[in-house]
Amino acid sequence: MQIHISWKTIFATFIFIISIMLLLRVSFILRDPPMLAEADPLPSPSLTADGLYDTETVTSTAPSGMTATPTLERLEVTVTPTAEQSTPSPTATPTIEGPVALTSTPTPALPQVLTSGFGQVAGTVNYAFIVSNTNPDQLFQEVRYRIAAYDSTGIVLSTHDGTIAQIGANQEIGIVGSITLNAELTVSRIDVDVFRARAIGVTDGVAPLLEGLTVVEPALVPGDQPSLTGIVRNALDRDFEGVTIYGIAYNEREEIIGGGRGSVSFIAAHGQAPVSMPVVMSGEVAKVAFWPVLSTGE
């Protein structure tokens, strides 16, 4: 019998045998790996106290056939010193005090009207009032006031605004003015209101300038047009020009029943000058008082 084997079969068998041999070789290598000569351990570079590595060069002694370990070069290491952590001081607890009283300069009180009155003849009404500045260290200038005249039923018959040039500290002065009405109207009462003034600080004890002027020998001269007269004396070491003099008439009950206004053009230092003024009044005059002032506007 003849056996026929093809070349393909022979080639496949050859490949199979080679594969078996390779597998066995790999299995042998994995089970018993080749031993390598033990190399000397590499010394570890040490860090010096100043933060730098040791300057010795470290050379490896690797077995033949292996690449030598590269030489370690000097490395500079910058050591940033850690700031000492200070123990924070305890925060002081703030002391909470009570409310602080704020001090402020008090506004001086406006001059106060002490008393007022009027006299009427036909349609002419002369009003008069006494005003006081009770502030010891403030004088007032440009003092504005308002007059209102009423009839017996409370109806306002007329109003009038005026200006007092100056009132000294702790000073009282008298003011007289005039209102013209219809002759058929009769005034029953008047109201006086001081509503504005400019305060100026002064030294304690400084007397108002015109306190050196006084009026003596007061008198009422009767007639169709009565007048108040007197003599103005100047006790100061200076002359005065254009001084206004107010005269106020009182009845027996100390009520103001009228008044008048006059002026003196010149008074020499330590000298004197006469003054006369027409007066409008209602009733019998029992007393007259005079008040020198700087000036007044109406």
Side-chain angles (χ1 to χ4, degrees):
M1 183 176 66
Q2 185 179 2
I3 299 173
H4 178 75
I5 300 174
S6 65
W7 65 270
K8 292 182 179 180
T9 303
I10 295 172
F11 180 76
T13 302
F14 180 75
I15 294 300
F16 176 75
I17 293 172
I18 291 174
S19 299
I20 293 299
M21 293 176 66
L22 291 175
L23 289 175
L24 291 175
R25 177 65 176 172
V26 170
S27 175
F28 176 76
I29 292 173
L30 293 177
R31 186 177 65 251
D32 298 317
M35 300 298 292
L36 299 176
E38 184 175 356
D40 294 334
L42 295 177
S44 301
S46 59
L47 186 67
T48 61
D50 59 356
L52 302 179
Y53 284 102
D54 193 356
T55 57
E56 293 183 358
T57 302
V58 182
T59 305
S60 64
T61 57
S64 61
M66 297 185 65
T67 304
T69 304
T71 301
L72 294 178
E73 298 179 354
R74 176 185 178 89
L75 298 178
E76 294 186 1
V77 180
T78 303
V79 180
T80 303
T82 304
E84 294 184 2
Q85 185 174 3
S86 59
T87 303
S89 58
T91 303
T93 304
T95 302
I96 301 177
E97 299 180 355
V100 179
L102 299 178
T103 58
S104 59
T105 303
T107 302
L110 287 173
Q112 302 296 311
V113 176
L114 302 180
T115 183
S116 63
F118 67 94
Q120 181 175 4
V121 175
T124 301
V125 178
N126 277 15
Y127 63 83
F129 62 93
I130 307 298
V131 61
S132 172
N133 173 17
T134 59
N135 296 282
D137 54 1
Q138 300 281 337
L139 66 81
F140 289 99
Q141 293 181 341
E142 301 174 12
V143 181
R144 298 287 293 168
Y145 66 88
R146 178 171 294 120
I147 301 292
Y150 300 84
D151 67 6
S152 59
T153 64
I155 295 175
V156 177
L157 301 179
S158 180
T159 61
H160 174 76
D161 286 5
T163 302
I164 305 170
Q166 178 173 302
I167 304 177
N170 282 328
Q171 185 184 26
E172 293 182 6
I173 62 173
I175 301 296
V176 178
S178 183
I179 299 174
T180 301
L181 301 174
N182 187 305
E184 298 178 356
L185 298 177
T186 301
V187 175
S188 176
R189 66 180 177 89
I190 66 167
D191 287 341
V192 185
D193 177 38
V194 175
F195 60 88
R196 188 172 66 225
R198 182 164 62 95
I200 299 177
V202 296
T203 305
D204 291 347
V206 174
L209 179 62
L210 294 183
E211 282 193 353
L213 301 179
T214 58
V215 180
V216 297
E217 305 296 334
L220 171 64
V221 179
D224 294 335
Q225 176 59 69
S227 62
L228 298 177
T229 64
I231 297 175
V232 183
R233 289 180 176 173
N234 179 10
L236 303 177
D237 296 329
R238 55 159 294 180
D239 301 338
F240 284 95
E241 295 183 1
V243 178
T244 299
I245 308 294
Y246 291 126
I248 298 178
Y250 296 82
N251 62 16
E252 292 181 351
R253 295 189 297 274
E254 298 288 330
E255 297 170 339
I256 295 175
I257 59 173
R261 182 179 65 182
S263 62
V264 176
S265 59
F266 178 80
I267 308 175
H270 299 284
Q272 63 183 33
V275 64
S276 177
M277 64 194 72
V279 59
V280 175
M281 56 190 181
S282 300
E284 296 291 330
V285 177
K287 184 178 73 172
V288 175
F290 291 94
W291 305 90
V293 298
L294 284 177
S295 63
T296 187
E298 297 186 18

